């Protein structure tokens, strides 16, 4: 019984290791040693019993140009046992005749590196009958090794890449929206796929971003299709970048022409059930340049300090009836469309009957529909020292420039506070620092100090004596000469 269990265990163990070794088989096949100038060389990587989930770039070959990548897969069932293979093929087209060397290289497949020793490649005159060293994975199974390779053709596309701006002219500090998107008509038949959009965007933004402007990035993380209509035609829009810029100075801002690369597949002229029916290729699209004119703000004492946008005031006060000296909170909130980050606190006028402390600040920014909207709240703690009716409009004001109306405007509170109780103005004054000479009273000594004046007096006497000696010497020299 024990011997039977041990034998069964060994059989299972052997089967496990056999399957593991089978699952990890990766083969790198290189094209023929000699090809014609009108033929292609290939590097083929085949993995058994697993899918190709990721792969690195294939090596460059001096004297050859990469032509594209194709993938194929197959499945075999022999004696009830299922095995599968997945292949990826990189094609190379020779640029000229001659002897070339494919150096030793490695390629990363599914996170693991696999190496090949390379080989010598001889490129000869074009051949009348093109034969390539790449074959369909099912050729051996069905005896089709000698069949011709499929011919791939490029389908005419109906697509373009564009940069868009929502305004051609703005004031200093006024926002304008910039977006980059790939457009494909609903009737387009050419197959496309995005090619490393993150890397491309990094390079584009280094050249595109204005240096003298504040950027509010919409942070697009997923490229989602959006149906739009342009000139009466339906398109699928894939937005890859969107931001609003707020210029710091007048002049012109130029969005340069932008190159955007897409994977565009060539398709087999005569599709078959077996093998790959499309070939990976690339196409670069170019957007046109855009220019935005930035106008200076009209003359105003605060034109270098004010915010620009369309704003409203929302105020909230904890109580409208208070006692003198009693503290209460007042919320001065500015909301609207514009550069929320640039909003500064309202201007205040300090008067003895009202005490204002530095506010707590909170802001919220919403990015959507091509606009930057939000609010900035200034939460004040106030005390009033004299009874009566106090209009907060006499104490707070916020000046801004409205680009829609092209004029300056001021937001003032509407709240009126009723204050009762005894006046505490004198008490408030006594708690304030008087400054100036009063600040020195506690610091200076109360002893008489005459040493300082003695020093200045001695210096004056010495200078007077030196001057007298010099004058006497001049008079003696004149008399001697006479």
């Amino acid at each position: 019984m024990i011997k039977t269990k041990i034998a069964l265990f060994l059989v299972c163990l052997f089967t496990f290791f056999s399957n593991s070794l089978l699952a990890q088989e990766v083969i790198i096949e290189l094209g023929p040693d000699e090809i014609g100038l009108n033929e292609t060389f290939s590097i083929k990587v085949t993995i058994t019993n697993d899918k190709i989930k990721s792969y690195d770039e294939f090596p460059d070959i001096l004297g050859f140009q990469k032509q594209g990548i194709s993938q194929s897969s197959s499945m075999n069932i022999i004696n009830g046992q299922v095995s599968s293979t997945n292949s990826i093929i990189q094609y190379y087209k020779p640029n000229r005749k001659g002897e070339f060397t494919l150096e030793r290289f490695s390629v990363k497949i599914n996170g693991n590196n696999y190496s090949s020793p390379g080989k010598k490649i001889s490129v000869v005159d074009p051949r009348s009958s093109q034969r390539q060293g790449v074959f369909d994975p099912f050729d051996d199974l069905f005896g089709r090794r000698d069949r011709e390779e499929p011919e791939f053709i490029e389908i005419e596309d109906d697509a373009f890449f564009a940069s868009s701006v929502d305004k051609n002219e703005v004031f200093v500090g006024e926002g304008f929206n910039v977006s980059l998107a790939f457009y494909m008509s609903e009737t387009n038949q050419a197959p496309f796929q995005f090619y490393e959009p993150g890397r491309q965007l990094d390079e584009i933004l280094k050249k595109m971003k204005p240096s003298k402007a504040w950027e509010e990035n919409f942070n697009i993380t997923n490229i989602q299709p959006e149906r739009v209509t342009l000139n009466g035609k339906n398109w699928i829009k894939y937005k890859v970048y969107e931001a609003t810029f707020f210029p710091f100075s007048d002049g012109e801002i130029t969005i340069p022409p932008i190159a955007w690369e897409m994977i565009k597949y060539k398709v087999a002229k005569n599709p078959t059930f077996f093998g790959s029916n499309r070939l990976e290729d690339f196409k670069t699209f170019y957007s046109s340049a855009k220019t935005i004119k930035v106008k200076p703000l009209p003359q105003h004492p605060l034109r270098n300090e004010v915010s620009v946008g369309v704003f409203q005031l929302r105020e909230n006060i904890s109580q409208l009836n208070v006692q003198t000296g009693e503290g209460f909170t007042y919320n001065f909130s500015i909301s609207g469309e514009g550069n929320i980050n640039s909003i500064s606190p309202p201007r205040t006028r300090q008067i003895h009957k009202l005490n204002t402390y530095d506010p707590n600040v909170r802001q919220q920014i919403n990015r959507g529909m091509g606009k930057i909207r939000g609010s900035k709240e200034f939460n004040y703690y106030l005390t009033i020292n004299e009874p009566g009716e106090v209009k907060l409009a006499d104490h707070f004001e916020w000046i801004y420039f409205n680009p829609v109306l092209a004029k300056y405007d001021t937001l003032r509170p509407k709240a009126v506070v009723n204050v009762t109780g005894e006046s505490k103005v004198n008490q408030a004054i006594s708690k304030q620092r008087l400054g100036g000479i009063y600040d020195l009273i506690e610091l200076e000594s109360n002893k008489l100090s005459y040493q300082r004046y003695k020093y200045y007096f001695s210096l004056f006497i010495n200078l007077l004596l030196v001057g007298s000696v010099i004058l006497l010497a001049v008079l003696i020299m004149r008399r001697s000469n006479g």
Side-chain angles (χ1 to χ4, degrees), residues 144-162:
R144 297 181 294 109
R145 172 65 66 89
D146 295 331
R147 73 174 178 83
E148 293 186 2
E149 288 299 315
E151 179 183 355
F152 294 96
I153 60 174
E154 183 176 355
I155 299 177
E156 186 176 352
D157 59 74
D158 191 8
F160 66 94
F161 183 77

Side-chain angles (χ1 to χ4, degrees), residues 124-295:
V124 297
D125 290 327
R127 294 170 176 169
S128 58
S129 176
Q130 181 174 337
R131 297 294 308 275
Q132 300 186 23
V134 180
F135 54 89
D136 192 285
F138 284 103
D139 286 347
D140 286 336
L141 183 61
F142 293 97
R144 297 181 294 109
R145 172 65 66 89
D146 295 331
R147 73 174 178 83
E148 293 186 2
E149 288 299 315
E151 179 183 355
F152 294 96
I153 60 174
E154 183 176 355
I155 299 177
E156 186 176 352
D157 59 74
D158 191 8
F160 66 94
F161 183 77
S163 61
S164 305
V165 296
D166 64 338
K167 300 173 186 174
N168 296 319
E169 189 176 82
V170 295
F171 286 99
V172 171
E174 180 185 1
F176 63 92
N177 183 270
V178 178
S179 66
L180 306 177
F182 179 72
Y183 294 81
M184 187 167 58
S185 74
E186 288 188 338
T187 57
N188 175 72
Q189 296 296 320
F192 283 104
Q193 183 176 324
F194 282 94
Y195 176 66
E196 298 183 355
R199 179 192 61 78
Q200 290 195 72
L201 269 180
D202 288 342
E203 297 298 324
I204 289 171
L205 296 183
K206 290 176 184 177
K207 304 173 183 178
M208 190 198 79
K209 283 184 181 179
S211 58
K212 296 182 179 179
W214 175 268
E215 179 195 18
E216 284 289 348
N217 195 322
F218 284 59
N219 295 320
I220 296 175
T221 55
N222 293 316
I223 302 175
Q224 299 292 338
E226 175 187 355
R227 190 175 184 271
V228 296
T229 302
L230 300 175
N231 299 323
K233 186 175 180 179
N234 294 329
W235 299 81
I236 304 299
K237 177 181 179 182
Y238 298 88
K239 191 183 295 182
V240 298
Y241 172 79
E242 184 176 13
T244 295
F245 293 97
F246 299 90
F248 298 140
S249 58
D250 60 314
E252 283 190 349
I253 293 177
T254 300
I255 307 298
I258 296 169
W260 184 260
E261 193 172 22
M262 295 287 291
I263 297 175
K264 181 182 178 181
Y265 292 97
K266 293 181 179 179
V267 299
K269 187 174 182 180
N270 298 307
T272 63
F273 178 76
F274 303 100
S276 175
N277 285 320
R278 66 180 189 175
L279 178 66
E280 184 181 279
D281 203 354
F282 297 90
K283 180 173 181 178
T284 303
F285 295 85
Y286 296 89
S287 68
S288 57
K290 298 287 188 297
T291 301
I292 300 93
K293 180 182 178 182
V294 183
K295 303 179 292 184

